[in-house]
Amino acid sequence: MKHFLRRQRYLIDFTVASLARRMGKNLGLLGVYTLIVFLLASVMLFTQSLRHEASLLLVNAPEVVVQRMLAGRHELIPEDYLQRIGKVRGVAAMYGRLWGYFYDPVVQANYTLMVPREHAPVSGEVKVGHAIARTRGLGLGDFLSFRSAQGQSFAFRVSEILSSDSELVSADLLLVSEDDFRTFFGIEPGLYTDIALEVRNPKEVRKVAEKLTVLLPDTRPILREEILRTYDALFAWRQGIVFVLLAGSLLAFVIFAWDKASGLSAEEKREIGILKAIGWDTGDVIQMKFWEGALVSLGAFLLGYLAAYGHIFFFDAALFAPVLKGWAVLYPKFHPAPFIDGLQVATLFFFTVFPYTVATVVPIWRAATTDPDAVMR
Amino acid sequence: MIRLEAVNKIFNQGRPNEFCAVRDVTLDLYAEHATVLRGPSGSGKTTLLAMIGCLSRPTSGRIFLAEKNLSGLPERFMTEVRRKTFGFIFQRFNLIQGLNVLENVLLPAYPLAPDHAELQQRGMNLLEQFDMATKAHAKVEWLSGGEAQRAAICRALLNDPQILIADEPTANLDTHLAQEFMRNIGKLKAAGRTILLTSHDPMVAEADCVDRVITMRDGQIQEDRYVA
């Protein structure tokens, strides 16, 4: 084992000295390679942390939401549906929710208005999301005025600015009292936007949803796991879009790297002949070339990944945030929590380090298996 | 020590450009002798030397090293024999550009992975022996012809081979450096090494240390002469 490791050290020594001989060319390659890994890893890390964040935020969301449908559209749900649902086994709690959207022409942005179940503000007051406060320049005690659908003016006093921890979801959120919500949107008492159900046992969620479909045929149950899946698909789609945009540069790099890695110059062929003539065997030459590919690609992978980690988690993904987060006007200030997915690292490693290393080793095979007597000519 | 039995070497066999470089050579080479293969370009001396040094295989015939048949060995074992038994000095020295002298000298030992400090010491001792210690860390492209030649000798001797093979070693050297080279060869022979050289330089064939001169033409031995 000691002999094997020492031999690898000698081969690495030679490889490093060999790479240093073409310093400019190899540094250029390393730079481009690192940039590619950086871009790919940034997109992957950011999308992954968005998914992770979304899943963390949804932990406290109700397991099932029941929405009433009318002609295929979401309709307000009467309070008596709570009684109609009755006592479904496994449901720990159920309650009506009030929420809706409001377009603010002043900043040309959509807000989400909601009545919280607990700690609702008193009538005439509002709790606002960070992005709204930022965009409208609001502080505690300031007033926020809107025109309702009936054309009346409403002024709400800001009683709280929501914590920036959950800004990704609460950026555009306005929390108001139930009375204010109903008056503002003109929703009669006894009607809710939807009904939320909490199910104690996660394994029973699907069964509960099935029972609801039978019990209330004009409703649709929405499961939390479905919302998570939708988030997942949405972020995966956005990630895909960025990857497609990167595809051109990726392809250019692949061609460049393949040419660099697989094309053996006459000088390199001569060197292989010399090494074989002075006592290196085919395996030694292939291992040396393996180290050359591995050192370049592994170096680029580590540098690129570390740079991407810094970009996402210390500089808040400055390059990709607008595309990947997808907010039109109210950009949430999102500070992703450091999170690394092992499978994702392995995937990126496999698609960046592996092909380059193979591209360096394969052509060397042919050169290294020929007789070394060419150096005598 | 080395016996060649009806050795042939044909390049591009079966193709229109087929060429027979060595024809039916049978020869005995003795230990601790300095033997020169001489002849015009294309006479087959380098091809013969390459086969003896396990750099290539004969198309037919057999080569024995101390009763061991080299021509039938798989590549790995051929490399092993080449590494341990032969040291090579090439016509254009074939030092690897961009590396320094010491790194070039140490290269043959890398696959054997000896202790690093011991290997460095071994390399430095050889460089000192050939007055090259001060150039140990100089890039090989900065060396003069004579220095490059000596660096190549040091590299050839690193694994302490029994047999030293030099192909046209004086082709790129002036008379003074060629004489110096032959003096070094004389010392190595006196130290008990077997020397095999190819050259068409008369000075090499006529050097004091040379025991035997074999003249080749068209891939065959034309004359085999022992020097008194």
Side-chain angles (χ1 to χ4, degrees):
Chain A
M1 190 64 190
K2 196 177 164 193
H3 176 265
F4 173 80
L5 291 177
R6 207 156 51 191
R7 193 157 154 270
Q8 299 310 311
R9 217 196 97 189
Y10 278 120
L11 293 176
I12 292 172
D13 272 358
F14 177 75
T15 307
V16 171
S18 224
L19 288 170
R21 285 183 291 159
R22 292 175 268 268
M23 180 84 88
K25 204 174 167 187
N26 285 316
L27 277 181
L29 174 72
L30 187 72
V32 177
Y33 205 155
T34 304
L35 183 70
I36 294 288
V37 175
F38 164 76
L39 291 174
L40 291 175
S42 288
V43 175
M44 288 174 104
L45 277 173
F46 191 61
T47 327
Q48 189 61 32
S49 64
L50 277 174
R51 285 193 191 128
H52 185 62
E53 190 88 357
S55 67
L56 284 180
L57 287 166
L58 283 171
V59 163
N60 296 321
E63 283 83 1
V64 187
V65 169
V66 183
Q67 287 185 342
R68 186 175 166 227
M69 304 300 288
L70 186 67
R73 310 276 299 174
H74 176 200
E75 178 68 9
L76 295 174
I77 191 163
E79 199 174 8
D80 64 1
Y81 275 55
L82 284 167
Q83 276 84 55
R84 283 176 64 188
I85 293 170
K87 247 181 123 53
V88 175
R89 197 185 289 268
V91 175
M94 58 181 155
Y95 50 91
R97 298 196 310 179
L98 285 167
W99 58 269
Y101 299 119
F102 176 76
Y103 178 70
D104 183 1
V106 179
V107 289
Q108 297 181 321
N110 261 314
Y111 300 154
T112 306
L113 267 81
M114 208 175 165
V115 177
R117 202 172 162 213
E118 289 165 354
H119 312 296
V122 294
S123 191
E125 290 193 346
V126 65
K127 296 180 180 180
V128 298
H130 243 273
I132 299 176
R134 229 179 11 248
T135 318
R136 298 272 312 232
L138 296 171
L140 286 178
D142 289 347
F143 280 87
L144 187 60
S145 300
F146 298 128
R147 259 164 74 88
S148 74
Q150 286 77 27
Q152 292 165 286
S153 264
F154 281 85
F156 296 102
R157 193 179 146 272
V158 176
S159 66
E160 187 183 332
I161 292 167
L162 296 169
S163 143
S164 57
D165 292 348
S166 59
E167 194 167 335
L168 191 64
V169 170
S170 70
D172 63 345
L173 196 62
L174 288 172
L175 298 179
V176 292
S177 71
E178 183 173 345
D179 287 347
D180 286 347
F181 187 91
R182 289 188 186 280
T183 319
F184 187 73
F185 284 111
I187 296 176
E188 298 293 322
L191 290 174
Y192 289 101
T193 314
D194 54 29
I195 289 172
L197 304 181
E198 284 170 16
V199 179
R200 202 170 286 123
N201 183 356
K203 286 182 183 162
E204 288 179 354
V205 170
R206 291 205 156 267
K207 198 73 207 161
V208 167
E210 262 175 52
K211 282 183 185 169
L212 287 172
T213 335
V214 175
L215 203 63
L216 306 167
D218 62 339
T219 64
R220 65 169 177 195
I222 300 167
L223 310 186
R224 186 172 65 192
E225 59 181 89
E226 285 173 351
I227 301 176
L228 266 175
R229 243 195 341 259
T230 310
Y231 269 123
D232 223 39
L234 176 73
F235 290 131
W237 177 79
R238 286 190 181 145
Q239 186 182 23
I241 291 283
V242 177
F243 279 158
V244 168
L245 293 174
L246 287 177
S249 52
L250 262 177
L251 190 66
F253 171 72
V254 167
I255 294 167
F256 165 66
W258 185 267
D259 181 58
K260 165 72 187 68
S262 61
L264 275 182
S265 65
E267 169 87 9
E268 283 173 300
K269 280 183 190 159
R270 192 178 144 265
E271 278 181 20
I272 290 168
I274 296 172
L275 292 173
K276 286 199 73 176
I278 62 174
W280 289 39
D281 70 15
T282 306
D284 299 323
V285 175
I286 289 169
Q287 278 182 50
M288 182 268 287
K289 269 285 166 187
F290 161 81
W291 280 118
E292 190 181 310
L295 287 176
V296 169
S297 52
L298 201 63
F301 176 79
L302 290 175
L303 287 175
Y305 202 87
L306 283 177
Y309 189 91
H311 168 226
I312 300 300
F313 299 121
F314 297 116
F315 295 99
D316 300 333
L319 286 177
F320 300 119
V323 188
L324 290 171
K325 283 196 288 197
W327 261 259
V329 177
L330 299 175
Y331 286 112
K333 270 199 176 160
F334 171 52
H335 306 287
F339 172 74
I340 289 178
D341 178 26
L343 183 68
Q344 203 177 57
V345 177
T347 310
L348 189 64
F349 180 86
F350 184 78
F351 283 105
T352 51
V353 175
F354 186 72
Y356 186 80
T357 309
V358 170
T360 46
V361 170
V362 169
I364 214 78
W365 192 278
R366 267 175 59 195
T369 47
T370 50
D371 279 341
D373 65 332
V375 290
M376 300 277 275
R377 291 169 204 290
Chain B
M1 181 189 199
I2 298 172
R3 197 167 79 249
L4 288 84
E5 286 180 1
V7 169
N8 286 284
K9 180 72 181 180
I10 303 167
F11 290 106
N12 306 317
Q13 200 172 16
R15 292 192 206 152
N17 58 344
E18 183 177 295
F19 170 69
C20 185
V22 172
R23 294 164 197 270
D24 202 25
V25 169
T26 297
L27 188 66
D28 278 298
L29 297 166
Y30 304 110
E32 297 179 29
H33 274 206
T35 306
V36 176
L37 297 172
R38 76 171 182 185
S41 266
S43 59
K45 54 191 189 301
T46 297
T47 307
L48 192 65
L49 206 60
M51 287 189 288
I52 294 169
C54 295
L55 290 173
S56 67
R57 294 163 199 278
T59 309
S60 64
R62 288 186 291 182
I63 300 174
F64 294 91
L65 173 72
E67 306 309 318
K68 188 177 187 178
N69 185 359
L70 299 181
S71 37
L73 288 177
E75 200 229 318
R76 243 185 83 209
F77 295 101
M78 282 244 305
T79 306
E80 185 91 8
V81 173
R82 185 164 71 236
R83 189 186 285 159
K84 288 185 174 160
T85 317
F86 299 99
F88 292 90
I89 302 165
F90 304 101
Q91 184 177 345
R92 290 184 199 89
F93 317 132
N94 280 340
L95 297 170
I96 291 187
Q97 304 287 305
L99 301 185
N100 68 32
V101 172
L102 184 61
E103 284 167 339
N104 262 283
V105 168
L106 301 185
L107 274 178
Y110 280 8
L112 299 168
D115 176 72
H116 191 254
E118 184 267 320
L119 178 62
Q120 291 264 331
Q121 191 54 52
R122 209 190 322 160
M124 284 308 294
N125 288 346
L126 277 167
L127 288 172
E128 271 165 28
Q129 197 182 325
F130 287 88
D131 287 333
M132 286 289 290
T134 53
K135 301 278 180 183
H137 300 288
K139 298 270 181 209
V140 290
E141 47 270 42
W142 303 341
L143 300 180
S144 68
E147 287 168 341
Q149 176 76 272
R150 279 181 279 155
I153 297 174
C154 293
R155 185 178 67 182
L157 294 175
L158 187 80
N159 285 340
D160 196 20
Q162 220 176 328
I163 303 164
L164 199 65
I165 288 181
D167 182 35
E168 300 283 1
T170 58
N172 294 314
L173 301 179
D174 61 26
T175 309
H176 170 72
L177 289 173
Q179 283 170 342
E180 188 193 315
F181 174 77
M182 288 314 291
R183 271 196 297 277
N184 283 325
I185 289 292
K187 284 180 200 165
L188 292 168
K189 186 193 140 194
R193 291 183 209 272
T194 305
I195 314 283
L196 279 173
L197 303 134
T198 68
S199 181
H200 47 243
D201 182 352
M203 205 198 72
V204 171
E206 289 159 15
D208 291 342
C209 61
V210 172
D211 300 293
R212 186 180 179 190
V213 178
I214 297 168
T215 308
M216 293 188 71
R217 184 170 282 274
D218 299 329
Q220 289 176 308
I221 294 173
Q222 196 181 42
E223 188 191 359
D224 188 352
R225 178 168 60 89
Y226 286 85
V227 181

